[in-house]
Amino acid sequence: MRPFTFINVAVTADGKMDTFERKGAAISSARDKARVDKLRAESDAVMVGGRTLLDEDPKLTVKSEALRAERVARGLSPNPIKVGIVTKADIQLESKFLNFGTTRVVIFTTNQTSNIQMEALRSRGVEVFIHESERVDLEKALRTLKELGVNRLMVEGGGTLNFELLRLGLVDELSVYIAPMIFGGESAPTAAAGLGVARGAAIPLKLVETEVHEDGGVVLKYQVERSK
């Protein structure tokens, strides 16, 4: 039992999520940002991995006041639950992730996070789940989210988290905005990182929807095919 899980990612035409500088370079157009905001508003929770959480400190809030109001009218919090997957949760207590937007915050981490830090996070109202393993057990984390009432989970990276969820068969859909630009760079992050797989173990996708934007950007929506 787990939530319906989909990954949303923006990449350049050469498949990069950021430049080699890894400072969160802007990729999405205004139209795509509005699309992403709607996806967030329709989700019960939004998840990010450790590098995204610690390096970029995302707010993960719904930007549109109208969309937040629609959520409240449905008896929900203005923003979806924020979920962080991080091996060592050295999150600054004044971070945007923890402090922006009215919603629950859930952190999955390991015992590599100090007890002092865990208690500091809990004192701020963060729900902390500790996995006694080298890395967070993603299957267990998704089961926990389901138990917390999360039925629709949006994943916003980074590449390592994206790949692990796909590798484990925990993703149902993948939406990719392809921006009409090139970043290049061998060290620039891509939409799926990690160790990778051999050609024979490639994760198959089925294209179910396309959307062409007037600025040349394209949105591709895929269903993740299950292995036979």
Side-chain angles (χ1 to χ4, degrees):
M1 294 291 289
R2 63 169 178 83
F4 176 90
T5 302
F6 70 98
I7 293 172
N8 183 77
V9 63
V11 298
T12 59
D14 57 333
K16 306 298 185 180
M17 291 198 302
D18 198 354
T19 68
F20 69 92
E21 298 173 300
R22 292 179 178 262
K23 294 182 179 179
I27 294 177
S28 293
S29 63
R31 178 174 171 179
D32 187 58
K33 288 178 181 177
R35 180 188 66 87
V36 173
D37 206 34
K38 189 171 186 296
L39 288 176
R40 282 184 187 169
E42 294 170 346
S43 300
D44 298 311
V46 181
M47 174 189 283
V48 291
R51 187 158 192 170
T52 300
L53 178 58
L54 299 177
D55 291 355
E56 298 181 22
D57 188 19
K59 295 178 184 177
L60 298 185
T61 53
V62 176
K63 306 300 187 290
S64 165
E65 184 176 346
L67 290 175
R68 292 196 303 271
E70 287 178 11
R71 285 181 57 87
V72 172
R74 299 201 309 270
L76 304 172
S77 63
N79 300 286
I81 299 170
K82 300 181 187 183
V83 182
I85 303 288
V86 56
T87 302
K88 189 174 182 181
D90 289 339
I91 305 164
Q92 297 298 315
L93 297 183
E94 65 274 14
S95 68
K96 292 180 287 187
F97 179 81
L98 296 181
N99 294 286
F100 276 74
T102 303
T103 190
R104 295 165 71 182
V105 179
V106 176
I107 296 289
F108 292 95
T109 188
T110 71
N111 52 13
Q112 294 180 52
T113 302
S114 70
N115 290 331
I116 292 175
Q117 176 69 354
M118 289 186 214
E119 290 309 311
L121 290 169
R122 285 174 173 146
S123 71
R124 301 292 294 271
V126 178
E127 299 170 56
V128 182
F129 294 87
I130 305 158
H131 291 184
E132 300 292 332
S133 52
E134 184 177 342
R135 300 177 66 180
V136 171
D137 183 328
L138 294 174
E139 292 180 288
K140 183 178 178 181
L142 264 61
R143 287 197 301 270
T144 299
L145 289 174
K146 182 70 174 180
E147 292 167 2
L148 293 177
V150 175
N151 294 310
R152 184 175 178 84
L153 174 64
M154 180 177 183
V155 180
E156 295 201 42
T160 300
L161 176 61
N162 290 346
F163 174 73
E164 284 302 304
L165 288 168
L166 287 162
R167 183 183 68 82
L168 292 169
L170 300 175
V171 179
D172 300 288
E173 287 183 357
L174 171 66
S175 291
V176 184
Y177 170 74
I178 302 176
M181 63 180 75
I182 299 287
F183 282 167
E186 292 182 4
S187 63
T190 59
L195 295 176
V197 296
R199 175 63 184 90
I203 299 161
L205 306 174
K206 179 182 179 181
L207 183 64
V208 294
E209 189 176 313
T210 61
E211 181 181 317
V212 180
H213 294 186
E214 60 279 356
D215 65 349
V218 180
V219 178
L220 303 177
K221 182 177 178 181
Y222 296 96
Q223 286 180 351
V224 179
E225 302 270 76
R226 298 288 174 240
S227 299
K228 297 291 191 287

